[in-house]
Amino acid sequence: MDAIVEQWRRERPDLNVAPLGVLGRLFRAAHLADTVLAEELADHRLQLGWFDLLAALRRAGAPYELRPTELMGTTMLSSGGVTKRLDRLAEAGLIERRPDPGDRRGTLVRLTRKGKAAIDKAVVAHVANEERLLRSLEPAERRALDELLRTFLVPLENR
C-alpha cells in the first residue's frame, strides 16, 4: 500500500491520496483475516458462511432458533444467501426448519444437537484464532482500533 500511495502522490500530487492507504490497508487486513479464519473453520468442516449462521443461532440462546429474517439481519446476508446456506446446513444435519407456531406462513430455524456441538467446538477455535490475529497489537492499541472502527462504521451502517 505504501508503494501504491507513493506512486499516486508522484503522479497526482494535486490529490490527497491518504484515504487510499487507509482503506486499502483495511480491506487487505479484512481479506487476509477472512482467509486465515476460513482455514481454521475448514478444519471443523464448516464454511465461513455456515459459521456466521450457526453462531447467530447459538447466540440466540435456548432453544437456539430464529426466523430466517432475523438471520438475515444478524448476518447481513440477502434472503437468497440465507436460504442457500440454510439448505446446505440442513443437508449437513446442523439445523432443522420447522413451522413457526406464531405465523402460519413462517418458518423457524433451529440448531440440531449436532449443530450446537459443532458451533460450540468451532467458536472456541475461532476466538483463539482471532486472538492470534490480534497478537501484534497491545491491549491499548486493540481498544483504540475497536473504537476507531466503531466510529468509522456508524455513518456507513446508517446509509
Side-chain angles (χ1 to χ4, degrees):
M1 281 313 310
D2 288 338
I4 291 169
V5 169
E6 190 51 45
Q7 289 168 343
W8 276 118
R9 280 189 179 130
R10 183 189 67 235
E11 294 300 315
R12 292 295 308 269
D14 58 311
L15 294 177
N16 174 14
V17 294
L20 289 172
V22 173
L23 291 173
R25 285 182 190 86
L26 183 62
F27 296 148
R28 179 96 171 119
H31 172 73
L32 293 172
D34 271 350
T35 300
V36 170
L37 294 172
E39 289 169 0
E40 176 69 34
L41 292 174
D43 292 344
H44 292 272
R45 297 189 175 134
L46 295 178
Q47 297 173 19
L48 194 57
W50 290 16
F51 178 86
D52 292 341
L53 289 171
L54 294 173
L57 290 166
R58 181 62 175 92
R59 290 191 316 266
Y64 314 112
E65 66 182 17
L66 293 169
R67 290 173 185 82
T69 53
E70 293 170 317
L71 286 168
M72 281 175 40
T74 62
T75 59
M76 297 177 285
L77 292 170
S78 68
S79 176
V82 167
T83 299
K84 182 185 282 188
R85 289 180 186 175
L86 291 178
D87 289 346
R88 292 197 176 119
L89 287 167
E91 288 170 14
L94 300 173
I95 61 115
E96 61 186 11
R97 292 179 173 113
R98 60 184 203 85
D100 184 346
D103 179 358
R104 286 186 320 181
R105 296 174 294 157
T107 302
L108 291 172
V109 178
R110 180 183 285 190
L111 281 179
T112 62
R113 285 186 185 170
K114 180 179 176 183
K116 184 177 179 292
I119 191 60
D120 281 346
K121 186 175 178 184
V123 75
V124 171
H126 186 73
V127 170
N129 207 18
E130 288 180 330
E131 176 66 32
R132 280 190 295 278
L133 289 173
L134 294 171
R135 193 177 290 153
S136 64
L137 299 175
E138 296 294 326
E141 292 172 320
R142 290 182 192 190
R143 286 189 299 275
L145 179 59
D146 188 42
E147 283 301 314
L148 289 169
L149 290 171
R150 184 176 283 113
T151 301
F152 178 69
L153 283 170
V154 168
L156 293 173
E157 290 175 339
N158 289 331
R159 290 190 65 208

